[in-house]
Amino acid sequence: MRKLTIFVLLCLGLSMITACGGGGGSSTTTTPTTLGTDTTSDLTAAYTALETSERTAFTTILTNSDDADSQEVMSSMSAGSAGGLDSSDMLTAYNDADARAVSNPFTAGTASYSLYEAIAEALFALKSSNTSVYDAYATLFATLDDAELAAIVDVIDAAEAMGFDTFDTLADSELSAIVSAAHAASDAATPVSGVVVDPYIEGAVFCVDVNENDDCDADEPVSSASDANGAFTFDDEPADGSIILMKVAGEHNGVPYAFDGLAGVYSGGDIVVSPLTTFQAEGLTAAQVAEMFTFAGLTGITAENIVTNYMDGLIDGVTVNSENLIVLRSSIAAYMLFRILEGSTTLASMTANEIYTSAMTNGGAVNSILVAMTSLLNDSLSEARLTQVQTGSAGLVAMGFPEIAFADVVTTAVAVADRISTIGFSTCNATSGTDAQKVTAAVGAATTFVATHGLEQMIEDLSTSFYFARIKNQLSAAFQTGAANADPAYAAALNCVSGTFTLESDGSVACYVAQ
């Protein structure tokens, strides 16, 4: 009886190691059905430590953990970390594998030398078999620090203990929820600022098109509304290459912005969204966009200009930043182009390549519109035009009124562009026939409008109205009364509650009244 009791106790004590009875047996294991509390905790800690780009790369690696070559990389990383290799060693090993070079920083024959070689060899094998996972390691190693490496190795060790293939199966169903719940360090610390310019748009809201379906879905990140300087913010940094879409159009020049298709591409730093960056979001390069406008007759624009905030430094009192002025002309011309193209279903749905080809073909639909619009803007939005309107207002300045500023010329040009693009859109939409016939009619209608009402007269009337609305609060009551008595147009401008104006279909100026 005593021997039996001792045997039972020994069995209970050894039951986690070997099966009791009959001279021994083999150990038994049960395949996990969940990642488990400890592994989930390791994953949460890792994803919390990682930056946004690192999180994306690590997810790619983990969801491909059934790849045999990637398993070798992970195992060698774990062994290397345990043997004293740090994050910079991992990056160097990756660079060696990528270049297939031999630059082992450790002394031959040492344990560190062998551990380093194992990582480089595993990465080289993966490069040959699975480039997408290999590229994920490149992204991960590029910015990985030692604390992040330690957190990653904890996950790798847990996955290896569980069995990489089993981990892969469970991760496919559980990882998404874990990642969503883990708040990345970069998410908390790096809100991203942006600016929307055409010239500045106020009240615009943007989204990150995460699933790239060309629409702002309910669960996608949304920006703050842009302020009077076009500035908006995303709480969380988008992934590099993310498409930024306009969700709410807002207002420019104090009137509703008529084109709700503005877009941009996030590539680090501050976001810039404009009609020019919309071409990039469609798939064109900055160099191609600059080439399109140069071909249309607007010289001086470069690829670097396309993604800049051209309003920054453009207007400084009564002076002009000439380089940014060129970009402003291009941007307004692009806005007018998009508006007119919206008048035709087929033109509005052109691919990036079709837009570029049409723009680089004399007489092409896009080229015809750009040539007409840039010609108009070269005339109406220039330093010479500023000099002309300032000369015309010399009498007011002599009486003590402020000088007309370039801001008044810009708001005038935008109002002219709004009217002409509306005419182009309506004509294109109402014209039957081919796309070429629609564009010819649209450009013709815009040209006829300018010829009928006179660009000089429209600019003079608009710039005067914007000028008086801008300086109203700078004027004493006596000056306001004197101006109102001197000219009915001055009085109308000073009495305009909204402070902004539109160009009507008959060429007259109207105080804008919100609908």
Side-chain angles (χ1 to χ4, degrees), residues 10 14 66 90 110 126 168 175 213 228-229 252 266 284 320 330 336 347 375 380 417 439 442 481:
L10 286 172
L14 298 173
D66 58 342
M90 304 286 176
T110 63
L126 179 63
D168 178 77
L175 190 58
N213 68 344
N229 294 314
H252 79 161
Y266 180 66
L284 296 179
V320 182
S330 301
M336 298 170 78
L347 290 174
S375 176
S380 63
V439 169
T481 301

Side-chain angles (χ1 to χ4, degrees), residues 24-190:
S26 61
S27 62
T28 60
T29 59
T30 301
T31 301
T33 57
T34 67
L35 289 174
T37 303
D38 290 343
T39 302
T40 297
S41 177
D42 289 338
L43 283 164
T44 300
Y47 275 102
T48 300
L50 296 176
E51 301 294 327
T52 299
S53 60
E54 295 167 343
R55 284 162 61 108
T56 302
F58 193 42
T59 298
T60 298
I61 293 167
L62 294 183
T63 54
N64 288 275
S65 53
D66 58 342
D67 183 291
D69 289 330
S70 185
Q71 291 173 11
E72 287 298 320
V73 175
M74 288 189 282
S75 294
S76 61
M77 285 176 61
S78 175
S81 178
L85 273 61
D86 60 22
S87 57
S88 63
D89 296 327
M90 304 286 176
L91 177 59
T92 305
Y94 171 84
N95 290 333
D96 277 358
D98 197 53
R100 202 54 185 141
V102 179
S103 59
N104 194 316
F106 300 101
T107 304
T110 63
S112 295
Y113 184 95
S114 298
L115 292 169
Y116 180 93
E117 284 291 296
I119 296 171
E121 290 295 334
L123 283 165
F124 182 74
L126 179 63
K127 180 181 181 180
S128 303
S129 65
N130 195 326
T131 55
S132 63
V133 179
Y134 176 79
D135 289 343
Y137 280 103
T139 301
L140 184 66
F141 289 145
T143 55
L144 197 68
D145 61 33
D146 291 342
E148 293 167 342
L149 173 61
I152 282 175
V153 167
D154 285 342
V155 174
I156 291 173
D157 290 344
E160 190 167 21
M162 182 182 297
F164 283 122
D165 291 343
T166 299
F167 177 88
D168 178 77
T169 300
L170 297 174
D172 286 342
S173 60
E174 298 182 43
L175 190 58
S176 177
I178 295 171
V179 174
S180 297
H183 197 67
S186 59
D187 292 338
T190 315

Side-chain angles (χ1 to χ4, degrees), residues 74-417:
M74 288 189 282
S75 294
S76 61
M77 285 176 61
S78 175
S81 178
L85 273 61
D86 60 22
S87 57
S88 63
D89 296 327
M90 304 286 176
L91 177 59
T92 305
Y94 171 84
N95 290 333
D96 277 358
D98 197 53
R100 202 54 185 141
V102 179
S103 59
N104 194 316
F106 300 101
T107 304
T110 63
S112 295
Y113 184 95
S114 298
L115 292 169
Y116 180 93
E117 284 291 296
I119 296 171
E121 290 295 334
L123 283 165
F124 182 74
L126 179 63
K127 180 181 181 180
S128 303
S129 65
N130 195 326
T131 55
S132 63
V133 179
Y134 176 79
D135 289 343
Y137 280 103
T139 301
L140 184 66
F141 289 145
T143 55
L144 197 68
D145 61 33
D146 291 342
E148 293 167 342
L149 173 61
I152 282 175
V153 167
D154 285 342
V155 174
I156 291 173
D157 290 344
E160 190 167 21
M162 182 182 297
F164 283 122
D165 291 343
T166 299
F167 177 88
D168 178 77
T169 300
L170 297 174
D172 286 342
S173 60
E174 298 182 43
L175 190 58
S176 177
I178 295 171
V179 174
S180 297
H183 197 67
S186 59
D187 292 338
T190 315
V192 175
S193 299
V195 62
V196 53
V197 283
D198 191 25
Y200 280 134
I201 301 177
E202 184 175 3
V205 178
F206 298 88
C207 78
V208 180
D209 188 15
V210 177
N211 59 8
E212 298 186 1
N213 68 344
D214 202 30
D215 198 10
C216 289
D217 298 321
D219 60 344
E220 290 178 326
V222 176
S223 75
S224 63
S226 58
D227 63 17
N229 294 314
F232 61 88
T233 303
F234 280 104
D235 290 336
D236 301 328
E237 181 183 15
D240 281 353
S242 292
I243 302 298
I244 309 301
L245 298 179
M246 177 174 269
K247 184 181 178 74
V248 177
E251 296 183 344
H252 79 161
N253 240 32
V255 302
Y257 190 62
F259 177 59
D260 63 1
L262 286 192
V265 181
Y266 180 66
S267 56
D270 290 346
I271 302 167
V272 176
V273 179
S274 73
L276 297 176
T277 64
T278 302
F279 287 115
Q280 284 188 294
E282 293 287 341
L284 296 179
T285 66
Q288 286 176 312
V289 179
E291 189 180 1
M292 286 165 45
F293 284 93
T294 301
F295 189 71
L298 206 158
T299 58
I301 189 169
T302 67
E304 290 74 19
N305 295 147
I306 303 302
V307 292
T308 60
N309 172 12
Y310 46 82
M311 288 300 293
D312 185 16
L314 174 64
I315 301 171
D316 180 17
V318 297
T319 63
V320 182
N321 180 313
S322 300
E323 180 181 356
N324 286 15
L325 175 58
I326 293 170
V327 191
L328 175 60
R329 289 192 196 115
S330 301
S331 183
I332 295 176
Y335 161 74
M336 298 170 78
L337 168 69
F338 283 124
R339 281 282 289 136
I340 294 172
L341 292 181
E342 282 188 314
S344 164
T345 303
T346 54
L347 290 174
S349 61
M350 283 197 298
T351 65
N353 184 60
E354 289 170 338
I355 291 173
Y356 177 72
T357 300
S358 180
M360 299 302 295
T361 303
N362 279 316
V366 174
N367 174 258
S368 297
I369 297 170
L370 287 180
V371 167
M373 299 307 107
T374 55
S375 176
L376 170 71
L377 290 164
N378 280 335
D379 187 11
S380 63
L381 194 55
S382 64
E383 293 174 87
R385 181 64 66 184
L386 173 61
T387 300
Q388 180 183 1
V389 295
Q390 286 177 336
T391 300
S393 65
L396 289 171
V397 175
M399 291 187 292
F401 286 85
E403 191 168 11
I404 285 185
F406 193 62
D408 304 314
V409 176
V410 171
T411 51
T412 294
V414 172
V416 171

